[in-house]
């Protein structure tokens, strides 16, 4: 049985220890394996995490239990920073995807950069998304899932932003039915549209602070 009072919510400052980078990478590859980030080489992911830690607009959070990371999340002050903050990595990302024959992933990045992926959104929702806090990635270690840890983690992230001056909205995207049910039934999100992706479109969800 998990003792929630022993779970440590962390917003790490400065450089990450290598052991923590490896654990986040492991979670990424297992639990976010369909994400663009999971398609990149390990070295590029480590560079990505370093950039997150040095960014004024991106934040990494994680939960620790029994001295190990059991969940992580990355947020962006606005969705645009998910592209602008990583311009220095664009060549490495491109080469990593090409060398691994990730053509579909490259296509999805291309339509995202050009904003083609949101052409079916209502204008009001499009403007709302552009100004919202974005929950880019979140994952919980498999053995700790379905135990209320994901909800606990997200509530702590929401509380963090309330304390520092909340944005109006938080948005996230997923096509996983289980994740959609989690956001809708457990966390108070609602679906506001979709993003075009190959091979399956992403559902866009919104949380109002």
């Amino acid at each position: 049985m998990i003792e929630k009072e022993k779970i440590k919510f962390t917003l790490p400052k400065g450089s990450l220890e290598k052991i923590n980078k490896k654990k986040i990478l492991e979670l990424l590859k297992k639990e976010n394996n369909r994400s663009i980030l999971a398609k990149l080489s390990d070295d590029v992911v480590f560079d990505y995490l370093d950039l997150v830690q040095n960014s004024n607009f991106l934040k990494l959070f994680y939960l620790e239990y029994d001295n190990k990371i059991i969940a992580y999340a990355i947020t962006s002050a606005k969705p645009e920073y998910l592209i602008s903050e990583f311009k220095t990595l664009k060549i490495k990302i491109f080469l990593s995807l090409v060398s691994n024959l990730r053509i579909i992933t490259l296509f999805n990045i291309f339509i995202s950069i050009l904003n083609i992926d949101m052409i079916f959104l209502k204008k009001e929702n499009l403007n709302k998304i552009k100004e919202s806090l974005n929950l880019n990635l979140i994952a919980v270690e498999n053995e700790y899932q379905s135990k209320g840890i994901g909800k606990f983690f997200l509530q702590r992230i929401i509380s963090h932003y309330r304390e520092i001056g909340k944005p109006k909205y938080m948005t996230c995207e997923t096509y996983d039915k289980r994740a959609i049910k989690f956001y809708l039934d457990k966390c108070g999100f609602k679906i506001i549209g979709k993003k075009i992706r190959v091979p399956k479109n992403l559902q866009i969800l919104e949380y109002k602070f």
Side-chain angles (χ1 to χ4, degrees), residues 179-191:
I180 292 171
K181 184 174 175 60
F182 164 74
Y183 287 120
L184 295 178
D185 297 348
K186 301 288 183 65
C187 302
F189 282 70
K190 69 177 184 179
I191 295 173

Side-chain angles (χ1 to χ4, degrees), residues 23-199:
K23 183 56 187 177
I24 292 169
L25 174 67
E26 179 187 329
L27 276 170
L28 170 72
K29 299 289 186 179
K30 284 168 54 181
E31 308 300 338
N32 301 121
N33 60 345
R34 293 185 179 180
S35 68
I36 290 174
L37 192 57
K39 310 298 188 207
L40 304 176
S41 68
D42 294 359
D43 287 342
V44 176
V45 173
F46 290 155
D47 288 342
Y48 187 100
L49 292 174
D50 287 337
L51 281 173
V52 170
Q53 287 304 99
N54 290 314
S55 172
N56 292 320
F57 307 108
L58 306 171
K59 291 185 179 182
L60 168 70
F61 303 88
Y62 56 75
L63 294 181
E64 292 179 282
Y65 186 69
D66 284 342
N67 295 315
K68 71 174 184 178
I69 293 175
I70 63 168
Y72 85 99
I74 295 174
T75 64
S76 176
K78 292 181 182 179
E80 67 184 85
Y81 298 126
L82 294 168
I83 295 173
S84 63
E85 290 294 277
F86 299 105
K87 285 182 178 178
T88 57
L89 277 183
K90 63 183 180 181
I91 300 301
K92 284 187 177 181
I93 290 172
F94 176 78
L95 292 176
S96 177
L97 293 173
V98 169
S99 64
N100 289 295
L101 300 177
R102 302 291 190 178
I103 306 303
I104 291 177
T105 303
L106 283 167
F107 174 78
N108 284 330
I109 290 174
F110 177 74
I111 63 173
S112 177
I113 290 173
L114 296 179
N115 287 322
I116 297 172
D117 58 340
M118 295 194 287
I119 58 174
F120 295 119
L121 276 172
K122 293 180 180 178
K123 186 176 180 180
E124 66 221 52
N125 286 333
L126 180 59
N127 292 333
K128 188 188 296 182
I129 290 166
K130 286 181 177 180
E131 297 300 316
S132 72
L133 172 71
N134 183 260
L135 178 64
N136 181 240
L137 288 168
I138 185 169
V140 177
E141 180 75 58
N142 183 264
E143 66 177 286
Y144 295 98
Q145 293 178 15
S146 301
K147 293 178 172 63
I149 302 301
K151 181 179 179 180
F152 169 81
F153 189 23
L154 191 49
Q155 286 175 336
R156 291 301 304 271
I157 293 170
I158 290 169
S159 294
H160 166 78
Y161 282 104
R162 283 193 172 125
E163 289 169 7
I164 65 173
K166 65 182 181 182
K168 289 184 178 180
Y169 300 97
M170 174 192 286
T171 57
C172 64
E173 303 93 36
T174 184
Y175 42 73
D176 184 89
K177 289 182 179 180
R178 184 180 176 190
I180 292 171
K181 184 174 175 60
F182 164 74
Y183 287 120
L184 295 178
D185 297 348
K186 301 288 183 65
C187 302
F189 282 70
K190 69 177 184 179
I191 295 173
I192 60 170
K194 64 181 179 181
K195 279 186 178 181
I196 299 171
R197 285 293 186 273
V198 176

